[in-house]
Amino acid sequence: MKDLLHPISLVVATLGFLCLLRDVPTRRRDAASTALAAVFLLSGLSFLFSITSMWNYLDHVLGTVNISVPLAQGCVVALLACQQVVLTYWGSPPEVARRRSHSWLWACFAVIAGLLVLFALLTPSAPHPIDFTLYYAHDAWYATYLTLYVTAYTIGELFLAGSCWRLARRSARRSVRVGLRIVALGATVTLGYSMVRIGDVIATALGTSLTDWEAFAWACGDIGAMLTLIGWLVPTISDQAQSVQYRIKQYRSYHGLRPLWQAFYSEAPEIELPIHRVDRAQRRRFRRISIRLYRRVIEVRDGRFMIRQYLDVAVRDASEAHHRARGLRGQELLAAVTADQILAGIAARAKGTRPKPVRLAEFADSERQPSRPMDDIDALLDVARHLAYRPARAPYLERVFA
C-alpha cells in the first residue's frame, strides 16, 4: 500500500511545489508564501524517503540502516510546523505571527532532535522499509520514539484542522475558504494514521499486534496528505488562473486596439513612442505585454488629442441620428459615434480644415465614467471594434468628407 500511494503523493507534492516556486522570487519577504512552498517540498521529501527503493538506496549511501525513518518523519514534523506558520501569518498581525511562528519552529526542532536521539538508541538490524513499525514494536526505545512522533503528529494535525476551520469562517475570499476546508478535511483524515500508530503502542503493551491495520494507516496518511496539499493549492491555482486570464485579456486588448491605433498612425506616425533610444535592459521590459498595451493606449490617446481640434459638432449630430435609427443605445452608441468622429477628424486633419470654435465637439465616449482600471481600455476597444468594420466613407457623413 505504501509503495502504491507514496509515488502518487510525491507527484502531487512536486507539482504543487513547482506551482508555488514561480511566485517565491517575487514574494521573498512574504513568510507565509515561503513556508507554504516549504510545506510542499518537505511533503515531497517525506514521501520520497519512504519509497522502498529510495529507502534501500539511502541505507547503502549513508551507511545507516533504516535512516529513512527519521528523515521522512523529521520532514513531516517540519512541514506540520510550516503549516502553522502559514496559518499564523494569514490570521494574525505580523508581530504576533512572527512570535508564534518562532514558537512552532523551536518546538519542531526540539521534536526532531528527540527523534534523532531515540533513533540512535535503537538496536541496528536489517532494512525494514515495509514493516519497520511492526518489527520494532517490542523495542522500548522505539515505543518512546513512536510515542513522541505520534504525539507531535496528532497535535499538529488537530491544530491544523481547527485553525483551518476558524480561518475559513473569517476569510473573505471564496478560494481561500474552500482551500482551508479541504486542508481541514485532509488533516482530519490523517488522524486515522495517528489512531493506528497509537494503537500500535497500546497493543504492544497488551502483548498483541495491529498488523491488519497497517494498510488502513498508510491509506489515511497518504489520502489525508494529498487532500491537505490540494487544499493549500486551491488559492494559489485560483490566483494564477486569474493572472493567466488577465494576461490573455491584455493580449486580446493589445491586438484589438490595432485598428484604432493604425487609423491614427496612418495620419500621424509621430504618435509611436520611440524605444530605440533606451538601453537593452529597458528594451526587454518594453517587450512585456503589460508595457506594450500601456504604450498602445498612450499612443491612441495621443492620436485622439491630435484630432480633437478637428471634431465638428455636425459630425457628432449626424452620427448620433444615424446610429440611434439603427437601434444603438448607451455605451454602444457612444462608441459608434466616437468611431465616426475619429474618421472624420483624421480626414479633416489631412485636409487641414478645422471647424469654427463654436462648432467644436467633444468625443462622444468622453461621457463614459470608468470605475475599474480596464474600463478605459474597454472603452477604446469598443471604438476599435466599430472602426474595424466601418467603411472609410460612411454615406451619412459624405458631406463632411466632401
Side-chain angles (χ1 to χ4, degrees):
M1 178 65 71
K2 175 172 70 74
D3 284 340
L4 174 64
L5 294 176
H6 275 23
I8 300 174
S9 302
L10 174 61
V11 171
V12 174
T14 302
L15 292 177
F17 176 70
L18 294 176
C19 185
L20 289 167
L21 191 62
R22 188 178 72 95
D23 296 330
V24 169
T26 59
R27 299 181 179 179
R28 290 188 297 272
R29 298 183 179 180
D30 186 350
S33 296
T34 303
L36 187 56
V39 167
F40 282 85
L41 177 61
L42 291 166
S43 182
L45 289 175
S46 70
F47 292 125
L48 179 64
F49 293 152
S50 299
I51 296 174
T52 299
S53 57
M54 180 57 68
W55 185 305
N56 294 329
Y57 175 77
L58 290 175
D59 283 358
H60 173 72
V61 171
L62 300 180
T64 302
V65 179
N66 301 318
I67 189 62
S68 288
V69 173
L71 291 179
Q73 294 179 346
C75 287
V76 172
V77 172
L79 75 87
L80 288 172
C82 288
Q83 288 180 123
Q84 291 301 325
V85 171
V86 175
L87 293 173
T88 301
Y89 273 95
W90 280 5
S92 305
E95 299 77 12
V96 177
R98 193 177 300 111
R99 184 173 64 253
R100 291 179 179 174
S101 297
H102 289 167
S103 299
W104 279 105
L105 293 175
W106 279 115
C108 160
F109 294 145
V111 171
I112 292 175
L115 292 176
L116 291 174
V117 170
L118 291 170
F119 179 81
L121 296 174
L122 295 179
T123 304
S125 68
H128 289 275
I130 303 298
D131 58 348
F132 180 84
T133 297
L134 296 176
Y135 180 82
Y136 276 103
H138 300 284
D139 189 300
W141 287 116
Y142 182 69
T144 306
Y145 175 98
L146 186 59
T147 301
L148 175 61
Y149 173 70
V150 172
T151 300
Y153 183 87
T154 304
I155 291 174
E157 296 294 355
L158 286 172
F159 267 93
L160 179 62
S163 299
C164 285
W165 281 116
R166 287 193 299 272
L167 192 58
R169 288 195 296 268
R170 292 160 44 193
S171 178
R173 292 178 52 193
R174 184 174 182 273
S175 61
V176 173
R177 293 197 303 270
V178 172
L180 289 176
R181 285 166 181 160
I182 295 175
V183 173
L185 176 62
T188 303
V189 172
T190 59
L191 293 176
Y193 174 86
S194 299
M195 292 170 58
V196 174
R197 291 293 171 250
I198 293 171
D200 285 333
V201 176
I202 297 174
T204 301
L206 297 177
T208 184
S209 173
L210 297 181
T211 306
D212 296 337
W213 288 86
E214 278 298 296
F216 176 77
W218 287 117
C220 288
D222 280 71
I223 294 173
M226 279 190 283
L227 286 173
T228 301
L229 295 176
I230 291 170
W232 286 124
L233 273 181
V234 168
T236 300
I237 292 175
S238 176
D239 289 344
Q240 293 188 357
Q242 291 178 2
S243 177
V244 170
Q245 290 177 349
Y246 184 70
R247 288 181 65 84
I248 291 174
K249 184 173 183 180
Q250 286 182 317
Y251 274 104
R252 294 179 64 181
S253 298
Y254 176 79
H255 292 290
L257 288 175
R258 181 171 178 78
L260 185 56
W261 177 87
Q262 187 65 47
F264 289 121
Y265 180 77
S266 61
E267 172 59 26
E270 62 270 21
I271 65 170
E272 186 174 23
L273 299 176
I275 63 171
H276 61 277
R277 299 177 187 174
V278 301
D279 57 49
R280 184 172 299 177
Q282 290 292 325
R283 206 172 299 171
R284 284 196 294 270
R285 291 182 64 249
F286 273 81
R287 287 199 290 267
R288 297 177 186 171
I289 184 57
S290 57
I291 301 297
R292 289 162 61 193
L293 177 59
Y294 178 74
R295 282 183 58 212
R296 177 151 289 184
V297 170
I298 294 299
E299 291 167 357
V300 167
R301 288 295 181 191
D302 288 344
R304 286 167 62 106
F305 179 79
M306 293 179 65
I307 67 166
R308 279 185 61 189
Q309 56 189 324
Y310 297 95
L311 301 183
D312 194 325
V313 69
V315 173
R316 178 167 178 172
D317 292 343
S319 178
E320 284 187 1
H322 172 76
H323 292 298
R324 285 186 187 278
R326 291 177 55 217
L328 297 187
R329 296 291 185 273
Q331 295 182 356
E332 197 71 17
L333 173 64
L334 299 179
V337 174
T338 302
D340 285 340
Q341 288 180 289
I342 289 172
L343 289 176
I346 291 173
R349 185 178 187 273
K351 293 180 179 180
T353 57
R354 299 182 184 179
K356 295 178 180 181
V358 295
R359 297 183 60 81
L360 281 176
E362 289 290 336
F363 284 107
D365 65 351
S366 62
E367 300 176 6
R368 291 180 66 165
Q369 299 296 325
S371 59
R372 296 179 295 111
M374 288 295 290
D375 284 353
D376 191 44
I377 296 177
D378 290 339
L380 295 178
L381 285 169
D382 289 341
V383 176
R385 281 191 290 271
H386 281 279
L387 202 66
Y389 300 104
R390 187 66 48 77
R393 297 294 181 91
Y396 51 93
L397 300 177
E398 279 294 337
R399 66 178 183 278
V400 179
F401 290 102

Coordinates of all heavy atoms in Angstrom, one line a residue, residues 267 305-315 344-361 400 402:
E267 N -2.1 58.6 -40.2 CA -2.2 60.1 -40.4 C -1.0 60.8 -39.6 O -0.5 61.8 -40.1 CB -3.5 60.6 -40.0 CG -3.6 62.1 -39.9 CD -3.4 62.8 -41.3 OE1 -3.6 62.1 -42.3 OE2 -2.9 64.0 -41.3
F305 N -5.9 63.1 -29.0 CA -5.6 64.5 -28.6 C -5.3 65.4 -29.9 O -5.7 66.5 -30.0 CB -4.4 64.6 -27.7 CG -4.0 65.9 -27.2 CD1 -4.8 66.6 -26.3 CD2 -2.9 66.6 -27.8 CE1 -4.4 67.9 -25.9 CE2 -2.6 67.9 -27.5 CZ -3.3 68.5 -26.5
M306 N -4.6 64.7 -30.8 CA -4.1 65.5 -32.0 C -5.3 65.9 -32.9 O -5.3 66.9 -33.7 CB -3.1 64.6 -32.9 CG -1.8 64.4 -32.2 SD -0.7 63.4 -33.1 CE -0.4 64.5 -34.5
I307 N -6.4 65.1 -32.9 CA -7.5 65.4 -33.8 C -8.7 66.1 -33.1 O -9.7 66.3 -33.7 CB -8.0 64.2 -34.6 CG1 -8.7 63.2 -33.6 CG2 -6.9 63.5 -35.3 CD1 -9.5 62.1 -34.3
R308 N -8.5 66.4 -31.8 CA -9.6 67.0 -31.0 C -10.1 68.3 -31.7 O -11.3 68.6 -31.7 CB -9.2 67.2 -29.6 CG -9.3 66.0 -28.7 CD -9.0 66.3 -27.3 NE -10.0 67.3 -26.7 CZ -9.8 67.9 -25.6 NH1 -8.8 67.6 -24.8 NH2 -10.7 68.8 -25.1
Q309 N -9.1 69.1 -32.2 CA -9.4 70.4 -32.7 C -10.1 70.3 -34.1 O -10.4 71.3 -34.7 CB -8.1 71.2 -32.8 CG -7.0 70.6 -33.6 CD -5.7 71.3 -33.5 OE1 -5.7 72.5 -33.5 NE2 -4.6 70.6 -33.5
Y310 N -10.2 69.1 -34.6 CA -10.9 68.9 -35.9 C -12.3 68.2 -35.8 O -12.9 67.9 -36.8 CB -10.0 68.0 -36.8 CG -8.7 68.6 -37.1 CD1 -7.5 68.3 -36.4 CD2 -8.5 69.5 -38.2 CE1 -6.3 68.9 -36.6 CE2 -7.3 70.1 -38.5 CZ -6.2 69.8 -37.7 OH -5.0 70.4 -38.0
L311 N -12.7 68.1 -34.6 CA -14.0 67.4 -34.3 C -15.2 68.5 -34.6 O -15.2 69.5 -33.9 CB -14.1 66.8 -32.9 CG -13.1 65.8 -32.6 CD1 -13.3 65.3 -31.2 CD2 -13.0 64.7 -33.6
D312 N -16.0 68.1 -35.5 CA -17.1 69.0 -35.8 C -18.4 68.5 -35.2 O -18.7 67.3 -35.2 CB -17.3 69.1 -37.4 CG -18.2 70.2 -37.8 OD1 -19.1 70.6 -37.1 OD2 -17.9 70.8 -38.9
V313 N -19.2 69.4 -34.6 CA -20.4 69.1 -34.0 C -21.4 68.5 -35.0 O -22.2 67.7 -34.6 CB -21.0 70.3 -33.2 CG1 -21.5 71.3 -34.2 CG2 -22.1 69.8 -32.3
A314 N -21.3 68.9 -36.2 CA -22.2 68.4 -37.3 C -22.0 66.9 -37.5 O -22.9 66.1 -37.7 CB -22.0 69.1 -38.6
V315 N -20.7 66.4 -37.4 CA -20.4 65.0 -37.5 C -21.0 64.2 -36.4 O -21.7 63.2 -36.6 CB -18.9 64.8 -37.5 CG1 -18.5 63.3 -37.4 CG2 -18.2 65.4 -38.7
A344 N -13.8 61.1 -39.3 CA -14.0 62.5 -39.8 C -12.8 63.4 -39.3 O -12.4 64.3 -40.1 CB -15.3 63.0 -39.3
G345 N -12.4 63.3 -38.1 CA -11.3 64.1 -37.6 C -10.0 63.9 -38.3 O -9.3 64.8 -38.7
I346 N -9.7 62.6 -38.6 CA -8.5 62.3 -39.4 C -8.5 62.8 -40.8 O -7.6 63.4 -41.3 CB -8.3 60.7 -39.4 CG1 -7.9 60.2 -38.0 CG2 -7.2 60.4 -40.4 CD1 -7.9 58.7 -37.9
A347 N -9.7 62.7 -41.4 CA -9.9 63.3 -42.8 C -9.8 64.8 -42.8 O -9.1 65.4 -43.7 CB -11.3 62.9 -43.3
A348 N -10.3 65.4 -41.8 CA -10.3 66.9 -41.7 C -8.8 67.3 -41.4 O -8.4 68.4 -42.0 CB -11.2 67.4 -40.6
R349 N -8.1 66.6 -40.6 CA -6.7 67.0 -40.4 C -5.9 66.8 -41.6 O -5.0 67.6 -41.9 CB -6.1 66.1 -39.2 CG -4.7 66.5 -38.8 CD -4.3 65.6 -37.7 NE -3.0 66.1 -37.1 CZ -1.8 65.7 -37.6 NH1 -1.7 64.8 -38.6 NH2 -0.7 66.1 -37.0
A350 N -6.1 65.8 -42.4 CA -5.4 65.6 -43.6 C -5.6 66.7 -44.6 O -4.7 67.1 -45.3 CB -5.8 64.2 -44.3
K351 N -6.8 67.3 -44.6 CA -7.1 68.4 -45.5 C -6.7 69.7 -44.9 O -6.7 70.8 -45.6 CB -8.6 68.4 -45.8 CG -9.1 67.3 -46.6 CD -10.6 67.4 -46.9 CE -11.1 66.3 -47.7 NZ -12.6 66.4 -48.0
G352 N -6.5 69.7 -43.5 CA -6.1 71.0 -42.9 C -7.3 71.9 -42.6 O -7.1 73.1 -42.5
T353 N -8.5 71.3 -42.6 CA -9.7 72.1 -42.4 C -10.2 71.9 -41.0 O -10.6 70.8 -40.6 CB -10.8 71.7 -43.4 OG1 -11.1 70.3 -43.2 CG2 -10.4 72.0 -44.8
R354 N -10.3 73.0 -40.2 CA -10.8 73.0 -38.8 C -12.1 73.6 -38.8 O -12.4 74.7 -39.4 CB -9.8 73.7 -37.9 CG -8.4 73.1 -37.8 CD -7.6 73.9 -36.8 NE -6.2 73.4 -36.8 CZ -5.3 74.0 -36.0 NH1 -5.6 75.0 -35.2 NH2 -4.0 73.5 -36.1
P355 N -13.0 73.1 -37.9 CA -14.3 73.8 -37.7 C -14.1 75.0 -36.9 O -13.2 75.2 -36.2 CB -15.1 72.7 -37.0 CG -14.1 71.9 -36.3 CD -12.9 71.8 -37.2
K356 N -15.1 75.9 -37.0 CA -15.1 77.1 -36.2 C -15.2 76.7 -34.7 O -15.8 75.7 -34.4 CB -16.2 78.0 -36.6 CG -16.1 78.5 -38.1 CD -17.3 79.4 -38.4 CE -17.2 79.9 -39.9 NZ -18.3 80.8 -40.2
P357 N -14.6 77.6 -33.9 CA -14.7 77.3 -32.4 C -16.0 76.9 -31.9 O -16.2 76.1 -31.0 CB -14.1 78.5 -31.8 CG -13.2 79.1 -32.8 CD -13.9 78.8 -34.1
V358 N -17.1 77.6 -32.4 CA -18.4 77.4 -31.9 C -18.9 76.0 -32.4 O -19.9 75.5 -31.8 CB -19.4 78.5 -32.4 CG1 -19.0 79.8 -31.7 CG2 -19.4 78.6 -33.9
R359 N -18.3 75.4 -33.4 CA -18.7 74.1 -33.9 C -17.9 72.9 -33.4 O -18.1 71.8 -33.8 CB -18.7 74.2 -35.4 CG -19.7 75.2 -36.0 CD -19.7 75.1 -37.5 NE -20.1 73.8 -38.0 CZ -21.4 73.4 -38.1 NH1 -22.3 74.2 -37.7 NH2 -21.6 72.2 -38.6
L360 N -16.9 73.2 -32.5 CA -16.1 72.2 -32.0 C -16.9 71.2 -31.1 O -17.8 71.7 -30.4 CB -14.9 72.7 -31.2 CG -13.7 73.3 -32.0 CD1 -12.7 73.9 -31.1 CD2 -13.1 72.2 -32.8
A361 N -16.6 70.0 -31.1 CA -17.3 69.0 -30.3 C -16.3 68.1 -29.5 O -15.1 68.1 -29.8 CB -18.1 68.1 -31.2
V400 N -19.4 65.8 -44.9 CA -18.3 66.2 -44.0 C -17.0 65.9 -44.8 O -16.1 66.8 -44.7 CB -18.3 65.4 -42.7 CG1 -17.1 65.9 -41.8 CG2 -19.6 65.7 -41.9
A402 N -16.6 65.7 -48.0 CA -16.6 66.4 -49.3 C -15.8 67.7 -49.2 O -15.8 68.4 -48.1 CB -18.0 66.7 -49.7

